[in-house]
Amino acid sequence: MKKHYQYIIIGAGCAGLQLAKALLQLSDTVVQSILLIEASETHIEKSWCFWYEKNHPYRHLVKKEWDAVEFVSDNYATIQNISPKSYQFINSLDFYNDCIASFTTDDRIEILYASVLAIEQLKLPAIITNNGTFTCDAVFFTNPKLVFNNYPKPNIWQHFVGWMIETDKETFDDTVATMMDFSIDNTKLISFVYVLPFSTSKALIECTIFSECVQETSHYEHILSNYISEKFTKNYRITSKEFGKIPMQLPPTNSTLPNNIVPIGTAAGCIKASTGYSFIRTMLHTNEIITAITNNQLAPKRQVKQRFTFYDALFLNIISSEPYKMKHIFYKLFKHNNLARVLLFLDEQTTLLQDAMIFLWLPKKPFLKALFKKIIS
Ligand SMILES: Cc1cc2nc3c(=O)[nH]c(=O)nc-3n(C[C@H](O)[C@H](O)[C@H](O)COP(=O)(O)OP(=O)(O)OC[C@H]3O[C@@H](n4cnc5c(N)ncnc54)[C@H](O)[C@@H]3O)c2cc1C
């Protein structure tokens, strides 16, 4: 093993793998050596979904996509076509295997299974692991705790339990993905169900909650079993289960970092605080890094869009102080805006005027209270 690499990437997860793969697509005059350091030798399989146009570098990994997306609340349901985008599903294990397989045929990259203990900025960044110290021209890291001192614990998590179920009869409409079904009890916690039908007899159904504490598994499972039997069928088999939690947290401030220590993924704020989606945000940041490196520039830090971070902060504030209001807020959001507009807003691509039109329809009181709290804090 070498002691010095051009690039070191810490973390072979969503962001680290996307970046390593994209860097290796550049010529060997631009990218000569990469060390990818990963703490864990086993990958935990996850279901990754996102809405995006149909053409992107991970298209070959999309297992299922839906052009139509549904939002449901009490006495209200809307199904809308989101083309030219679609709602797409990737299995993270397919993504991991695809990336690792492409690395084995390129001798510019080495993978080291070790834990990074610290990143020190000497003349060059020095990466200290439990299996040696390495230097590099630039390091990319996903774990914020490695660099940001006093990185706060998230106050709010998005946590969920999902069941992949199969039925003997045709049960699901596999042309529509239900992004949020709020027609379940929300008196104490913000809970909704998410339905991804892979065929007419197979679907992933998840119960998602936004709150400070993860609940007992039985809580989500109770909601799931009631939901499935009321909405679909009592006769089904659970073929696999998924549990996950995603931090709902504002991006860390990275302004004091040297140019050759670059946050990516979670550390760069790629997980949108109000939704937990990160795959496409990570891909877009990866594209920015690759464009800069191709143009012989330093890898750019991800630019946080302050306006949208501010909206996310208000949203998180309401989740923590008045969670029972969220169901109504989501209902208003989806009732008065078409889905394409809501998705554009969540992608942080709406104009100020479009944002104003969106907020116009939302209940004012919770947002004003959240705004007031933000001003005095
Ligand atoms: C069950 C589940 C479902 C999800 N569904 C979606 C979805 O549908 N859509 C979506 O966009 N997002 C989804 N997410 C969120 C998404 O998985 C994360 O936002 C994304 O993985 C974050 O990417 P990352 O590279 O920053 O971190 P990770 O993918 O978590 O990767 C970080 C890697 O760094 C390694 N690491 C950490 N510290 C060190 C260290 N000190 N030394 C060496 N290695 C280290 C870890 O072992 C890990 O492999 C889901 C998450 C879960 C858990």
Side-chain angles (χ1 to χ4, degrees), residues 277-297:
Y277 285 92
S278 75
F279 192 88
I280 293 300
R281 285 158 72 96
T282 299
M283 188 182 88
L284 298 176
H285 184 214
T286 304
N287 293 348
E288 284 171 27
I289 294 173
I290 296 300
T291 306
I293 289 177
T294 311
N295 293 325
N296 232 343
Q297 290 161 359

Side-chain angles (χ1 to χ4, degrees), residues 45-87:
E45 190 173 354
K46 301 180 226 18
S47 307
W48 279 336
C49 284
F50 51 84
W51 57 88
Y52 198 65
E53 57 201 50
K54 297 187 179 184
N55 190 15
H56 56 77
Y58 304 102
R59 182 75 196 150
H60 61 295
L61 297 175
V62 173
K63 270 216 161 124
K64 173 83 181 161
E65 69 184 317
W66 300 266
D67 287 336
V69 172
E70 182 180 38
F71 172 84
V72 184
S73 194
D74 297 340
N75 306 317
Y76 178 76
T78 178
I79 296 178
Q80 291 176 36
N81 194 300
I82 59 166
S83 57
K85 290 180 185 165
S86 63
Y87 198 67

Side-chain angles (χ1 to χ4, degrees), residues 11 13-15 38-39 46-49 116 143 160 246 266 271 278-279:
C14 181
E38 169 54 52
K46 301 180 226 18
S47 307
W48 279 336
C49 284
V116 172
N143 181 345
F160 41 87
I246 305 174
T266 308
I271 305 180
S278 75
F279 192 88

Side-chain angles (χ1 to χ4, degrees), residues 49 66 68-73 77-79 87 172-183 192-197 204-206 208 227 231-232 277 339:
C49 284
W66 300 266
V69 172
E70 182 180 38
F71 172 84
V72 184
S73 194
T78 178
I79 296 178
Y87 198 67
F172 307 105
D173 174 358
D174 68 346
T175 63
V176 180
T178 304
M179 228 176 138
M180 288 179 147
D181 185 341
F182 272 100
S183 64
F192 60 90
V193 176
Y194 176 80
V195 183
L196 300 179
L204 174 65
I205 307 191
E206 298 205 340
T208 302
Y227 182 86
K231 191 123 188 177
F232 299 114
Y277 285 92
L339 208 59

Side-chain angles (χ1 to χ4, degrees), residues 165-172 198-203 237:
I165 64 166
E166 286 184 8
T167 58
D168 290 329
K169 293 193 179 140
E170 292 199 350
T171 309
F172 307 105
F198 290 92
S199 71
T200 53
S201 59
K202 182 177 175 181
R237 295 174 297 284

